[in-house]
Amino acid sequence: MPASLFEADDRPKAEALCQLTWFNPFHEERAALERQALGELWKAPPADGLDWEAGTPVAAANPNSEALAQLSKRLANEARERLRRRTPSANERTIYRDLVIFSLFYQFVDEFHRIIRQARERNAAPLRCSFYEKYRAELERMCPADQPGLRLDIPPELLFATFFQVRRAYAHIHECIIGASPTAQRLRARVWQSIFTRDMARYERALTGRMGDLITLITGPSGSGKELVARAIGLSRFIPFDPSRREFAEDYLRAFYPVNLAALSPTLIESELFGHQRGAFTGALADRLGYFEVCGPHGTVFLDEIGETGTGIQVKLLRVLQTRIFQRIGDTAPHTFAGKIVAATNRDLAGEMRAGRFREDMYYRLCADHVRTPALREILRDSPGELTTLVRHIAARIAGPVEATALTEEACTVLSRSLPPEYPWPGNFRELEQAVRNILVHGDYGPESTHLPALATLSADGTGQALNGNAPETIAAALAEGKWTAEELLRRYVQRVHQLSGSYEEAARRLALDRRTVKKYVQVPAPPV
């Protein structure tokens, strides 16, 4: 970097800001770059990234945003004055360009957030943008058209639309993924990559508006937030801006189309996705457009529970994944799907392929971008204190910010008293939410006995007796005495493996059984010993 472009003390700050311009905001190394830029002005982020007074995640959770904005604006203005007096080198142009982009984004970040907040309140995003002229004027001041050495090589409307996309992605990832554990932070960083790839500079150069070509597969246990991740990705897609009309091309809230494939018959799945012609089947009284046809180039179709589909539907979906061509039921005319597909499943697709229930070619079309949502027990195993953070978030949402603190304390007390320390939370976040609701209504929470670890307790005569009859010593005694039938033995063993693994999917994998078989044995209580 030329010594004349910045004062000596400012040089490392400018270098850090240039890296931050294209850096994943959720990456674990970002704090070090911010600290390099701000020095003693740097502030540590809040413990959980949440604003409990407001009862919602802070959209701008970074306490260093204002200081970074002021620093980038000062350095960009100083560099502009120096570069106006000479022809900049290629290196100087790159540095200046990144500083201008960083500074411009932070100058208008609150305006973009206002649009997001209005969209959330009204359930519809405003298309018209009143501050575009103000943005253009500032861009022209920093990069005048009559000075080619200072001019940006990005069309103003493209940069403006990218700013809005970045702001939406940051807000929606914070809203959908709660907590400050390393596991949650890694998931946020992974979701950001699904939106922008790992290289945002490359995204800006070549991939803006083209990420819809990549299919995202989200896997994880039931109740671990797969649909929330899908929504964060779908609501954060690039939406072009028309500078002549001062409008965005689409309402991003209306461009997300979720379909739960497990809840529909094969015929209804086809109708929902592909559409149908009148008279195509009994009850088809009029033409119907499917989601693949309704979804525009900036929209997202979310195929939830894709692991539950039969091979017949998989073949028809595979054609769309491969060629993006489909036909309505009862029609031969081809139609083109222009949007993005996000799919999710709690099934072990590798096991499903081995069992012949899921096509290999289907899987390899889905897995180019794979995101896995962690089970709640994984998060709490690494960060036990995260339970309080998650309970507080749930309490704020169901009881309001005024009652959040009191309900959090009450719920955490009940849970610590009612559940063993290593409780596996088989229902994950969904179970935790219902536990807090139970405590709000009844003041207690008692999960199904089959979900409790096998703990021995002393009876009146001093003999050890398992709470649910599945402790190892109880099983051994019953086997020695020949007390159980083969069916009872299988039921007990399946329940024991389920307790140890914490989920139907993992138990099915260990037992080499179908998930539905495991669920059947777990949900039927075993008779007393």
Side-chain angles (χ1 to χ4, degrees):
M1 182 183 295
S4 59
L5 190 59
F6 300 104
E7 299 293 340
D9 291 345
D10 286 337
R11 189 178 307 164
K13 299 176 182 178
E15 291 174 344
L17 287 175
C18 289
Q19 292 185 65
L20 285 170
T21 303
W22 309 108
F23 209 82
N24 187 327
F26 302 108
H27 195 280
E28 59 185 2
E29 295 179 5
R30 184 178 179 92
L33 284 174
E34 292 183 353
R35 197 165 194 167
Q36 179 182 334
L38 295 178
E40 295 181 353
L41 296 177
W42 182 82
K43 299 177 182 177
D48 53 17
L50 300 174
D51 176 19
W52 297 118
E53 293 302 318
T56 57
V58 177
N62 189 345
N64 299 298
S65 296
E66 183 62 29
L68 290 169
Q70 293 178 5
L71 175 63
S72 63
K73 186 173 183 178
R74 177 178 70 81
L75 293 178
N77 282 327
E78 292 175 359
R80 173 180 175 273
E81 293 305 314
R82 292 187 176 101
L83 292 175
R84 287 180 64 185
R85 295 192 289 269
R86 68 173 192 272
T87 301
S89 66
N91 186 46
E92 288 176 326
R93 288 190 62 184
T94 299
I95 294 168
Y96 183 68
R97 160 198 150 118
D98 289 350
L99 283 174
V100 168
I101 291 174
F102 193 95
S103 175
L104 267 178
F105 174 76
Y106 274 102
Q107 285 183 60
F108 294 95
V109 70
D110 289 339
E111 301 283 358
F112 285 118
H113 180 59
R114 192 171 294 114
I115 296 177
I116 297 169
R117 188 171 61 246
Q118 289 175 355
R120 188 177 294 123
E121 293 170 351
R122 303 171 184 175
N123 201 29
L127 301 181
R128 191 162 182 80
C129 193
S130 60
F131 59 94
Y132 181 74
E133 289 300 331
K134 184 179 176 183
Y135 154 84
R136 278 301 307 269
E138 181 62 16
L139 180 59
E140 177 63 25
R141 185 185 75 83
M142 297 299 295
C143 303
D146 59 352
Q147 297 186 46
L150 300 184
R151 193 166 56 214
L152 283 186
D153 54 359
I154 308 173
E157 64 275 14
L158 177 61
L159 183 61
F160 189 75
T162 303
F163 282 171
F164 186 40
Q165 183 188 16
V166 168
R167 196 71 188 96
R168 278 184 286 121
Y170 191 78
H172 290 127
I173 290 174
H174 256 295
E175 182 179 349
C176 293
I177 303 172
I178 305 302
S181 69
T183 304
Q185 195 71 354
R186 286 192 294 269
L187 179 58
R188 291 190 190 100
R190 183 82 173 184
V191 173
W192 184 271
Q193 290 178 345
S194 293
I195 299 168
F196 297 105
T197 78
R198 65 179 181 84
D199 186 346
M200 284 196 67
R202 176 186 291 160
Y203 175 83
E204 180 272 320
R205 288 194 307 268
L207 298 174
T208 303
R210 299 181 60 184
M211 290 298 288
D213 296 341
L214 295 176
I215 300 165
T216 299
L217 174 65
I218 306 170
T219 61
S222 179
S224 60
K226 295 186 294 296
E227 182 169 356
L228 290 175
V229 169
R231 283 185 61 83
I233 295 172
L235 298 181
S236 302
R237 294 202 60 207
F238 179 83
I239 308 243
F241 183 79
D242 184 345
S244 62
R245 301 178 61 182
R246 307 295 190 268
E247 288 185 353
F248 288 100
E250 192 165 357
D251 177 349
Y252 68 88
L253 282 181
R254 304 283 176 87
F256 182 72
Y257 303 93
V259 183
N260 189 322
L261 302 180
L264 303 174
S265 67
T267 300
L268 284 177
I269 290 175
E270 289 189 61
S271 178
E272 286 288 303
L273 296 178
F274 305 117
H276 62 251
Q277 294 290 98
R278 178 183 178 185
F281 53 85
T282 302
L285 303 179
D287 292 351
R288 185 186 188 283
L289 301 183
Y291 285 154
F292 285 148
E293 193 167 350
V294 172
C295 179
H298 319 302
T300 301
V301 174
F302 174 44
L303 305 178
D304 196 10
E305 303 290 3
I306 197 166
E308 306 292 330
T309 56
T311 54
I313 291 296
Q314 291 174 30
V315 170
K316 296 181 179 181
L317 287 174
L318 183 61
R319 186 189 179 210
V320 181
L321 302 183
Q322 291 176 328
T323 67
R324 292 188 162 257
I325 302 297
F326 67 94
Q327 296 168 322
R328 299 177 193 166
I329 302 175
D331 189 15
T332 58
H335 298 273
T336 301
F337 172 62
K340 179 180 176 69
I341 290 177
V342 177
T345 182
N346 58 15
R347 291 286 189 98
D348 173 12
L349 292 186
E352 294 295 301
M353 286 189 291
R354 289 193 297 269
R357 291 187 292 267
F358 201 83
R359 296 174 59 97
E360 282 195 21
D361 48 5
M362 180 78 165
Y363 173 76
Y364 289 115
R365 280 289 173 182
L366 291 172
C367 67
D369 172 27
H370 183 195
V371 177
R372 179 184 175 277
T373 55
L376 179 56
R377 69 178 182 278
E378 296 176 49
I379 295 175
L380 299 182
R381 181 181 61 223
D382 298 334
S383 306
E386 192 78 338
L387 182 66
T388 301
T389 298
L390 298 172
V391 169
R392 187 179 297 142
H393 170 73
I394 296 169
R397 191 171 69 246
I398 66 177
V402 175
E403 278 297 311
T405 300
L407 180 56
T408 299
E409 293 177 357
E410 180 182 349
C412 288
T413 299
V414 171
L415 292 176
S416 65
R417 184 180 66 233
S418 304
L419 303 177
E422 300 300 323
Y423 180 64
W425 291 102
N428 292 294
F429 297 97
R430 189 178 295 127
E431 181 186 357
L432 178 59
E433 182 171 1
Q434 296 313 313
V436 175
R437 292 180 185 275
N438 267 267
I439 294 167
L440 173 68
V441 176
H442 301 293
D444 59 19
Y445 177 63
E448 295 297 324
S449 61
T450 53
H451 290 160
L452 289 170
L455 301 173
T457 183
L458 290 179
S459 61
D461 61 359
T463 60
Q465 174 62 49
L467 289 175
N468 55 12
N470 275 351
E473 61 271 22
T474 306
I475 294 176
L479 288 176
E481 298 174 14
K483 296 177 62 174
W484 293 342
T485 66
E487 180 72 10
E488 288 171 338
L489 175 60
L490 178 59
R491 180 186 297 110
R492 303 273 185 177
Y493 183 60
V494 169
Q495 290 180 354
R496 176 63 178 168
V497 173
H498 178 260
Q499 292 161 2
L500 294 172
S501 64
S503 71
Y504 294 124
E505 292 75 19
E506 178 60 18
R509 187 190 68 80
R510 294 187 188 184
L511 294 164
L513 292 174
D514 183 83
R515 175 181 179 277
R516 287 166 292 191
T517 302
V518 173
K519 189 174 183 179
K520 178 187 72 173
Y521 282 114
V522 168
Q523 292 185 343
V524 176
V529 179

